[in-house]
Coordinates of all heavy atoms in Angstrom, one line a residue:
M1 N 0.8 -1.2 0.0 CA 0.0 0.0 0.0 C 0.9 1.2 0.0 O 1.5 1.5 1.0 CB -0.9 0.0 1.2 CG -1.9 -1.1 1.1 SD -3.1 -1.4 2.5 CE -3.2 0.1 3.4
P2 N 0.9 2.0 -1.1 CA 1.7 3.2 -1.2 C 1.2 4.3 -0.3 O 0.0 4.6 -0.3 CB 1.6 3.6 -2.6 CG 1.1 2.4 -3.4 CD 0.3 1.6 -2.4
V3 N 2.0 4.9 0.5 CA 1.7 6.0 1.3 C 2.7 7.1 0.9 O 3.9 6.9 1.0 CB 1.8 5.7 2.8 CG1 1.6 7.0 3.6 CG2 0.8 4.6 3.2
K4 N 2.2 8.3 0.5 CA 3.1 9.3 0.1 C 2.6 10.6 0.7 O 1.4 10.8 1.0 CB 3.1 9.4 -1.5 CG 3.6 8.2 -2.1 CD 3.8 8.3 -3.6 CE 4.3 7.0 -4.2 NZ 4.5 7.1 -5.6
S5 N 3.6 11.5 0.8 CA 3.2 12.9 1.3 C 3.7 13.9 0.3 O 4.8 13.7 -0.3 CB 3.8 13.1 2.7 OG 5.2 13.0 2.7
Y6 N 2.9 14.9 0.1 CA 3.2 16.0 -0.8 C 3.0 17.4 -0.2 O 2.2 17.5 0.7 CB 2.2 15.9 -2.0 CG 2.2 14.6 -2.8 CD1 1.4 13.6 -2.5 CD2 3.0 14.5 -3.9 CE1 1.4 12.4 -3.2 CE2 3.0 13.4 -4.7 CZ 2.2 12.3 -4.3 OH 2.2 11.2 -5.1
L7 N 3.7 18.3 -0.8 CA 3.4 19.7 -0.5 C 2.7 20.3 -1.7 O 3.2 20.2 -2.8 CB 4.7 20.5 -0.2 CG 5.6 20.1 1.0 CD1 6.8 20.9 1.0 CD2 4.8 20.2 2.2
A8 N 1.6 20.9 -1.5 CA 0.8 21.4 -2.6 C 0.8 23.0 -2.4 O 0.4 23.5 -1.4 CB -0.6 20.9 -2.5
H9 N 1.3 23.6 -3.5 CA 1.3 25.1 -3.5 C 0.1 25.6 -4.3 O 0.1 25.3 -5.5 CB 2.6 25.6 -4.1 CG 3.8 25.1 -3.3 ND1 4.4 25.9 -2.3 CD2 4.5 24.0 -3.3 CE1 5.4 25.2 -1.8 NE2 5.5 24.1 -2.4
P10 N -0.8 26.3 -3.8 CA -1.9 26.8 -4.5 C -1.5 28.1 -5.3 O -0.6 28.8 -5.0 CB -2.9 27.2 -3.4 CG -2.1 27.5 -2.3 CD -0.9 26.7 -2.3
H11 N -2.3 28.4 -6.3 CA -2.2 29.7 -7.0 C -2.6 30.8 -6.0 O -3.4 30.5 -5.0 CB -3.1 29.8 -8.2 CG -2.6 29.0 -9.4 ND1 -1.6 29.4 -10.2 CD2 -3.0 27.8 -9.9 CE1 -1.4 28.5 -11.1 NE2 -2.2 27.5 -11.0
E12 N -2.1 31.9 -6.1 CA -2.4 33.0 -5.2 C -3.9 33.2 -5.0 O -4.7 33.3 -5.9 CB -1.8 34.3 -5.7 CG -2.0 35.5 -4.8 CD -0.7 36.3 -4.6 OE1 0.3 35.9 -5.1 OE2 -0.8 37.3 -3.8
G13 N -4.2 33.2 -3.7 CA -5.6 33.4 -3.3 C -6.5 32.2 -3.5 O -7.7 32.3 -3.3
K14 N -6.0 31.1 -3.8 CA -6.8 29.9 -4.1 C -6.6 28.7 -3.1 O -7.0 27.6 -3.3 CB -6.4 29.3 -5.5 CG -6.5 30.3 -6.6 CD -8.0 30.5 -7.0 CE -8.1 31.4 -8.2 NZ -9.4 31.5 -8.8
K15 N -6.0 29.0 -1.9 CA -5.7 28.0 -1.0 C -7.0 27.3 -0.5 O -7.1 26.1 -0.4 CB -5.0 28.5 0.2 CG -4.6 27.5 1.3 CD -3.8 28.1 2.4 CE -3.5 27.2 3.5 NZ -2.7 27.8 4.6
H16 N -8.0 28.0 -0.2 CA -9.3 27.5 0.3 C -9.9 26.6 -0.8 O -10.4 25.5 -0.5 CB -10.2 28.6 0.7 CG -11.5 28.0 1.3 ND1 -11.5 27.4 2.5 CD2 -12.8 28.0 0.9 CE1 -12.8 27.0 2.8 NE2 -13.5 27.4 1.8
K17 N -9.9 27.0 -2.1 CA -10.4 26.2 -3.2 C -9.6 24.9 -3.3 O -10.2 23.9 -3.6 CB -10.4 27.0 -4.5 CG -11.5 28.1 -4.5 CD -11.5 28.7 -5.9 CE -12.6 28.0 -6.6 NZ -13.1 28.5 -7.8
L18 N -8.3 25.0 -3.2 CA -7.5 23.8 -3.3 C -7.8 22.8 -2.1 O -8.0 21.6 -2.4 CB -6.0 24.2 -3.2 CG -5.0 23.0 -3.3 CD1 -5.2 22.2 -4.6 CD2 -3.6 23.5 -3.2
I19 N -8.0 23.3 -0.9 CA -8.3 22.5 0.2 C -9.7 21.8 0.0 O -9.8 20.6 0.2 CB -8.4 23.3 1.5 CG1 -6.9 23.7 1.9 CG2 -9.0 22.5 2.7 CD1 -6.9 24.8 2.9
E20 N -10.7 22.5 -0.5 CA -12.0 21.9 -0.8 C -11.9 20.8 -1.9 O -12.5 19.8 -1.7 CB -12.9 23.0 -1.4 CG -13.4 24.0 -0.3 CD -14.4 25.0 -0.8 OE1 -14.5 25.1 -2.1 OE2 -14.9 25.8 -0.1
A21 N -11.1 21.1 -2.9 CA -11.0 20.1 -4.0 C -10.3 18.8 -3.5 O -10.7 17.7 -3.8 CB -10.2 20.7 -5.2
L22 N -9.2 19.0 -2.7 CA -8.4 17.9 -2.2 C -9.2 17.0 -1.2 O -9.1 15.8 -1.1 CB -7.1 18.3 -1.6 CG -6.1 18.9 -2.5 CD1 -5.0 19.6 -1.7 CD2 -5.5 17.8 -3.4
S23 N -10.1 17.7 -0.5 CA -10.9 17.0 0.6 C -11.9 16.1 0.0 O -12.4 15.2 0.7 CB -11.6 18.1 1.5 OG -10.6 18.8 2.1
K24 N -12.2 16.2 -1.3 CA -13.1 15.3 -1.9 C -12.6 13.9 -2.2 O -13.3 12.9 -2.4 CB -13.6 15.9 -3.2 CG -14.4 17.1 -3.0 CD -14.9 17.8 -4.3 CE -15.6 19.0 -4.0 NZ -16.0 19.7 -5.3
F25 N -11.2 13.7 -2.1 CA -10.6 12.4 -2.4 C -10.5 11.7 -1.1 O -9.9 12.1 -0.1 CB -9.2 12.6 -2.9 CG -9.2 13.3 -4.3 CD1 -8.6 14.6 -4.4 CD2 -9.6 12.6 -5.4 CE1 -8.6 15.2 -5.6 CE2 -9.6 13.3 -6.7 CZ -9.1 14.6 -6.8
E26 N -11.1 10.5 -1.1 CA -11.1 9.6 0.1 C -9.7 9.2 0.5 O -9.4 9.0 1.7 CB -11.9 8.4 -0.1 CG -13.4 8.6 -0.1 CD -14.2 7.3 -0.2 OE1 -13.7 6.3 0.1 OE2 -15.4 7.4 -0.6
Q27 N -8.8 9.1 -0.5 CA -7.4 8.6 -0.2 C -6.5 9.7 0.3 O -5.3 9.4 0.5 CB -6.8 7.9 -1.5 CG -7.7 6.9 -2.1 CD -8.6 7.5 -3.2 OE1 -9.0 8.6 -3.2 NE2 -8.8 6.7 -4.2
C28 N -7.0 10.9 0.5 CA -6.1 12.0 0.9 C -6.5 12.5 2.3 O -7.6 12.7 2.6 CB -6.3 13.2 -0.1 SG -5.7 12.9 -1.7
E29 N -5.4 12.7 3.0 CA -5.6 13.5 4.3 C -5.0 14.9 4.0 O -3.9 15.0 3.5 CB -4.9 12.8 5.4 CG -5.0 13.6 6.7 CD -4.4 12.9 7.9 OE1 -4.1 11.7 7.8 OE2 -4.1 13.6 8.9
V30 N -5.7 15.9 4.2 CA -5.3 17.3 3.9 C -5.1 18.1 5.1 O -6.0 18.2 6.0 CB -6.5 18.0 3.0 CG1 -6.1 19.4 2.6 CG2 -6.8 17.1 1.8
V31 N -3.9 18.7 5.2 CA -3.5 19.5 6.4 C -3.0 20.8 5.9 O -2.0 20.9 5.3 CB -2.4 18.8 7.2 CG1 -2.1 19.6 8.4 CG2 -2.8 17.4 7.6
P32 N -3.8 21.9 6.1 CA -3.4 23.2 5.7 C -2.3 23.8 6.6 O -2.4 23.6 7.8 CB -4.7 24.1 5.8 CG -5.8 23.1 6.1 CD -5.2 21.9 6.6
A33 N -1.3 24.3 6.1 CA -0.3 25.0 6.9 C -0.9 26.3 7.5 O -1.6 27.0 6.8 CB 1.0 25.3 6.1
Q34 N -0.5 26.5 8.7 CA -1.1 27.7 9.4 C -0.3 29.0 9.1 O -0.9 30.1 9.1 CB -1.2 27.5 10.9 CG -2.2 26.4 11.2 CD -2.4 26.2 12.7 OE1 -1.7 26.8 13.5 NE2 -3.2 25.3 13.1
N35 N 1.0 28.8 8.8 CA 1.8 30.0 8.6 C 2.3 30.2 7.2 O 3.1 31.1 7.0 CB 3.0 30.0 9.6 CG 3.9 28.8 9.4 OD1 3.5 27.9 8.6 ND2 5.0 28.8 10.0
Q36 N 1.9 29.4 6.3 CA 2.3 29.5 4.9 C 1.1 29.3 4.0 O 0.1 28.7 4.3 CB 3.4 28.5 4.6 CG 4.7 28.6 5.3 CD 5.4 29.9 4.9 OE1 5.5 30.2 3.8 NE2 6.1 30.5 5.9
D37 N 1.2 29.7 2.7 CA 0.2 29.4 1.7 C 0.6 28.1 1.1 O 1.1 28.0 0.0 CB 0.2 30.5 0.7 CG -1.0 30.6 -0.1 OD1 -2.1 30.0 0.3 OD2 -1.0 31.2 -1.2
L38 N 0.3 27.0 1.9 CA 0.8 25.7 1.5 C -0.2 24.7 2.1 O -0.8 24.9 3.2 CB 2.1 25.5 2.2 CG 2.9 24.2 2.0 CD1 3.4 24.1 0.5 CD2 4.1 24.2 2.9
V39 N -0.3 23.5 1.5 CA -1.2 22.5 2.0 C -0.4 21.2 2.0 O 0.3 20.9 1.0 CB -2.4 22.3 1.1 CG1 -3.3 21.1 1.6 CG2 -3.2 23.6 1.0
I40 N -0.4 20.4 3.0 CA 0.2 19.1 3.1 C -0.8 18.1 2.8 O -1.9 18.1 3.3 CB 0.8 18.9 4.5 CG1 1.9 19.9 4.8 CG2 1.4 17.5 4.6 CD1 1.5 20.9 5.8
I41 N -0.4 17.1 1.9 CA -1.3 16.0 1.6 C -0.6 14.7 1.9 O 0.5 14.5 1.5 CB -1.6 16.1 0.0 CG1 -2.1 17.4 -0.4 CG2 -2.6 15.0 -0.3 CD1 -2.1 17.6 -1.9
V42 N -1.4 13.8 2.5 CA -0.9 12.4 2.7 C -1.8 11.5 2.0 O -3.1 11.6 2.3 CB -0.8 12.1 4.2 CG1 -0.3 10.6 4.4 CG2 0.2 13.0 5.0
T43 N -1.3 10.7 1.1 CA -2.2 9.8 0.3 C -1.9 8.4 0.8 O -0.8 8.0 1.2 CB -1.9 9.9 -1.2 OG1 -0.6 9.5 -1.5 CG2 -2.2 11.3 -1.7
D44 N -3.0 7.6 0.8 CA -2.9 6.2 1.1 C -3.7 5.4 0.2 O -5.0 5.5 0.2 CB -3.4 5.9 2.6 CG -3.2 4.5 3.1 OD1 -2.6 3.7 2.3 OD2 -3.6 4.3 4.2
T45 N -3.1 4.7 -0.8 CA -3.8 4.0 -1.8 C -3.5 2.5 -1.7 O -2.6 2.0 -1.1 CB -3.4 4.5 -3.2 OG1 -2.0 4.5 -3.3 CG2 -3.9 6.0 -3.3
E46 N -4.3 1.7 -2.5 CA -4.1 0.2 -2.5 C -3.0 -0.3 -3.4 O -2.5 -1.4 -3.2 CB -5.5 -0.4 -2.9 CG -6.6 -0.2 -1.8 CD -6.3 -0.9 -0.5 OE1 -5.7 -2.0 -0.5 OE2 -6.6 -0.3 0.5
S47 N -2.7 0.5 -4.4 CA -1.7 0.0 -5.4 C -1.0 1.2 -6.0 O -1.4 2.4 -5.9 CB -2.4 -0.8 -6.5 OG -3.2 0.1 -7.3
N48 N 0.1 0.9 -6.7 CA 0.9 2.0 -7.4 C 0.1 2.6 -8.5 O 0.1 3.8 -8.7 CB 2.2 1.4 -7.9 CG 3.2 1.2 -6.9 OD1 3.3 1.9 -5.9 ND2 4.0 0.2 -7.0
S49 N -0.7 1.8 -9.2 CA -1.5 2.3 -10.3 C -2.6 3.2 -9.7 O -2.9 4.3 -10.3 CB -2.2 1.2 -11.1 OG -3.0 0.4 -10.4
E50 N -3.2 2.9 -8.6 CA -4.2 3.8 -8.0 C -3.6 5.1 -7.5 O -4.1 6.2 -7.7 CB -4.9 3.1 -6.8 CG -6.0 3.9 -6.2 CD -6.6 3.2 -4.9 OE1 -6.5 2.0 -4.8 OE2 -7.3 3.9 -4.2
E51 N -2.3 5.0 -7.0 CA -1.6 6.2 -6.6 C -1.3 7.1 -7.8 O -1.5 8.3 -7.7 CB -0.3 5.8 -5.9 CG 0.6 7.0 -5.5 CD 0.0 7.9 -4.4 OE1 -0.8 7.4 -3.6 OE2 0.3 9.1 -4.5
D52 N -0.9 6.5 -8.9 CA -0.6 7.3 -10.1 C -1.9 8.0 -10.6 O -1.8 9.1 -11.0 CB 0.0 6.3 -11.2 CG 1.3 5.8 -10.9 OD1 2.0 6.4 -10.0 OD2 1.7 4.8 -11.5
H53 N -3.0 7.3 -10.6 CA -4.3 7.9 -11.0 C -4.7 9.0 -10.1 O -5.1 10.1 -10.6 CB -5.4 6.8 -11.1 CG -6.7 7.3 -11.5 ND1 -6.9 7.7 -12.8 CD2 -7.8 7.5 -10.9 CE1 -8.1 8.2 -12.9 NE2 -8.7 8.0 -11.7
L54 N -4.5 8.8 -8.8 CA -4.8 9.9 -7.8 C -4.0 11.1 -8.1 O -4.4 12.2 -8.1 CB -4.7 9.3 -6.4 CG -4.9 10.3 -5.3 CD1 -6.3 10.9 -5.3 CD2 -4.6 9.7 -3.9
K55 N -2.7 10.9 -8.3 CA -1.7 12.0 -8.5 C -2.1 12.8 -9.8 O -2.1 14.0 -9.8 CB -0.3 11.5 -8.6 CG 0.7 12.6 -8.7 CD 2.1 12.1 -8.8 CE 3.1 13.2 -8.9 NZ 4.1 13.0 -9.9
E56 N -2.5 12.1 -10.8 CA -3.0 12.7 -12.0 C -4.2 13.6 -11.7 O -4.4 14.7 -12.3 CB -3.3 11.7 -13.1 CG -2.1 11.0 -13.7 CD -2.5 9.9 -14.7 OE1 -3.7 9.8 -15.0 OE2 -1.6 9.2 -15.1
Q57 N -5.2 13.1 -10.9 CA -6.4 13.8 -10.6 C -6.0 15.1 -9.8 O -6.6 16.1 -10.0 CB -7.3 13.0 -9.8 CG -8.0 11.9 -10.7 CD -8.9 11.0 -9.8 OE1 -8.5 10.5 -8.8 NE2 -10.2 10.9 -10.3
I58 N -5.1 14.9 -8.8 CA -4.7 16.1 -8.0 C -4.0 17.1 -8.9 O -4.3 18.3 -8.8 CB -3.7 15.6 -6.9 CG1 -4.5 14.7 -5.9 CG2 -3.1 16.8 -6.2 CD1 -3.6 14.1 -4.8
E59 N -3.1 16.7 -9.8 CA -2.4 17.6 -10.7 C -3.3 18.4 -11.6 O -3.0 19.4 -12.1 CB -1.3 16.9 -11.4 CG -0.2 16.5 -10.5 CD 0.9 15.6 -11.2 OE1 0.5 14.9 -12.2 OE2 2.0 15.7 -10.8
A60 N -4.5 17.8 -11.8 CA -5.5 18.5 -12.7 C -6.4 19.6 -12.0 O -7.1 20.3 -12.7 CB -6.4 17.4 -13.3
I61 N -6.2 19.7 -10.7 CA -7.0 20.7 -10.0 C -6.5 22.1 -10.4 O -5.3 22.4 -10.4 CB -6.8 20.5 -8.5 CG1 -7.4 19.2 -8.1 CG2 -7.5 21.7 -7.7 CD1 -7.1 18.8 -6.6
D62 N -7.5 23.0 -10.8 CA -7.1 24.3 -11.3 C -6.4 25.2 -10.3 O -5.6 26.0 -10.7 CB -8.4 25.0 -11.8 CG -9.0 24.4 -13.1 OD1 -8.2 23.7 -13.8 OD2 -10.2 24.6 -13.3
S63 N -6.8 25.1 -9.1 CA -6.2 26.0 -8.0 C -4.8 25.5 -7.6 O -4.1 26.2 -6.8 CB -7.1 26.0 -6.8 OG -7.4 24.8 -6.3
L64 N -4.3 24.4 -8.1 CA -3.0 23.9 -7.7 C -1.9 24.5 -8.7 O -2.0 24.4 -9.9 CB -2.9 22.3 -7.9 CG -1.6 21.7 -7.6 CD1 -1.2 21.8 -6.1 CD2 -1.6 20.2 -8.0
K65 N -0.9 25.1 -8.1 CA 0.2 25.7 -8.8 C 1.3 24.7 -8.9 O 1.9 24.5 -10.0 CB 0.7 26.9 -8.1 CG 1.8 27.6 -8.8 CD 2.2 28.9 -8.1 CE 3.3 29.7 -8.8 NZ 3.6 30.9 -8.0
L66 N 1.7 24.0 -7.8 CA 2.8 23.1 -7.8 C 2.6 21.9 -6.8 O 2.1 22.2 -5.7 CB 4.1 23.8 -7.4 CG 5.4 23.0 -7.2 CD1 5.9 22.5 -8.5 CD2 6.4 23.8 -6.5
L67 N 2.9 20.7 -7.2 CA 2.8 19.6 -6.3 C 4.2 18.9 -6.2 O 4.8 18.6 -7.2 CB 1.8 18.6 -6.9 CG 1.5 17.3 -6.0 CD1 0.8 17.7 -4.7 CD2 0.7 16.3 -6.8
A68 N 4.7 18.9 -5.0 CA 6.0 18.3 -4.7 C 5.9 17.1 -3.7 O 5.5 17.3 -2.6 CB 7.0 19.4 -4.2
M69 N 6.4 15.9 -4.2 CA 6.4 14.8 -3.3 C 7.5 15.0 -2.2 O 8.6 15.3 -2.6 CB 6.6 13.5 -4.0 CG 6.4 12.3 -3.1 SD 6.4 10.7 -3.8 CE 8.1 10.5 -4.4
V70 N 7.2 14.8 -1.0 CA 8.2 14.9 0.1 C 8.7 13.5 0.4 O 9.9 13.4 0.6 CB 7.5 15.5 1.4 CG1 8.5 15.6 2.5 CG2 7.0 16.9 1.0
S71 N 7.9 12.5 0.6 CA 8.3 11.2 0.9 C 7.3 10.2 0.4 O 6.1 10.5 0.2 CB 8.6 11.0 2.4 OG 7.4 11.0 3.1
G72 N 7.8 8.9 0.3 CA 6.8 7.9 -0.1 C 7.4 6.5 0.2 O 8.6 6.4 0.2
F73 N 6.5 5.6 0.6 CA 7.0 4.2 0.8 C 5.8 3.3 0.4 O 4.7 3.7 0.4 CB 7.5 4.0 2.2 CG 6.4 4.2 3.3 CD1 5.7 3.1 3.7 CD2 6.2 5.4 3.9 CE1 4.7 3.2 4.7 CE2 5.3 5.6 4.9 CZ 4.5 4.5 5.3
N74 N 6.2 2.1 0.2 CA 5.2 1.1 -0.2 C 5.3 -0.1 0.8 O 6.4 -0.7 0.8 CB 5.5 0.6 -1.6 CG 4.4 -0.2 -2.2 OD1 3.3 -0.4 -1.5 ND2 4.6 -0.8 -3.3
T75 N 4.2 -0.4 1.5 CA 4.2 -1.5 2.4 C 3.6 -2.7 1.6 O 2.4 -2.7 1.2 CB 3.3 -1.2 3.6 OG1 3.8 0.0 4.2 CG2 3.4 -2.4 4.6
P76 N 4.4 -3.8 1.4 CA 3.9 -4.9 0.6 C 2.8 -5.6 1.4 O 2.8 -5.7 2.6 CB 5.1 -5.8 0.5 CG 6.3 -5.1 1.0 CD 5.8 -3.9 1.7
K77 N 1.8 -6.1 0.7 CA 0.7 -6.8 1.3 C 1.2 -8.2 1.7 O 1.9 -8.8 0.9 CB -0.5 -7.0 0.3 CG -1.2 -5.7 0.1 CD -2.4 -5.9 -0.8 CE -3.2 -4.7 -1.1 NZ -4.3 -4.9 -1.9
K78 N 0.8 -8.7 2.8 CA 1.1 -10.1 3.2 C 0.0 -11.0 2.7 O -1.2 -10.7 2.8 CB 1.2 -10.1 4.7 CG 2.4 -9.4 5.3 CD 2.5 -9.5 6.8 CE 3.7 -8.7 7.3 NZ 3.9 -8.8 8.7
N79 N 0.4 -12.1 2.2 CA -0.5 -13.1 1.6 C -1.0 -14.0 2.7 O -0.4 -14.5 3.5 CB 0.0 -13.8 0.5 CG 0.2 -12.9 -0.7 OD1 -0.5 -11.9 -0.8 ND2 1.1 -13.2 -1.6

């Protein structure tokens, strides 16, 4: 199960819209920074392909200026 964290930089004045859009994804935990125009996103998906699809959806959000991955790891499923 891939778990990744990102820093999301909104377009100027669009932080609230970005938070609203990101909050619609079940696989995302959204944490707005209190002292910066920045949003922290933690994703938890079932597979690498699901993570890739989610990242594509996030990158398509109009209020998003830049998405930077901070860290990521994949916990293999036990059979």
Side-chain angles (χ1 to χ4, degrees):
M1 294 180 15
V3 175
K4 296 185 179 180
S5 60
Y6 298 90
L7 296 179
H9 300 266
H11 285 285
E12 181 132 358
K14 304 282 184 173
K15 182 177 177 182
H16 185 67
K17 288 190 93 168
L18 179 59
I19 292 167
E20 285 179 353
L22 290 168
S23 296
K24 293 178 182 176
F25 297 110
E26 287 184 23
Q27 307 94 328
C28 290
E29 181 176 340
V30 180
V31 182
Q34 294 180 357
N35 60 349
Q36 296 290 325
D37 200 19
L38 183 72
V39 179
I40 296 108
I41 308 167
V42 177
T43 63
D44 186 2
T45 54
E46 293 295 322
S47 66
N48 286 328
S49 61
E50 185 181 341
E51 177 66 32
D52 292 342
H53 181 68
L54 177 61
K55 185 176 178 226
E56 287 175 9
Q57 290 179 305
I58 292 170
E59 289 174 333
I61 297 172
D62 290 340
S63 53
L64 177 69
K65 182 177 181 181
L66 173 72
L67 184 67
M69 186 172 70
V70 178
S71 68
F73 65 91
N74 188 8
T75 305
K77 290 184 181 180
K78 294 182 180 182
N79 292 336

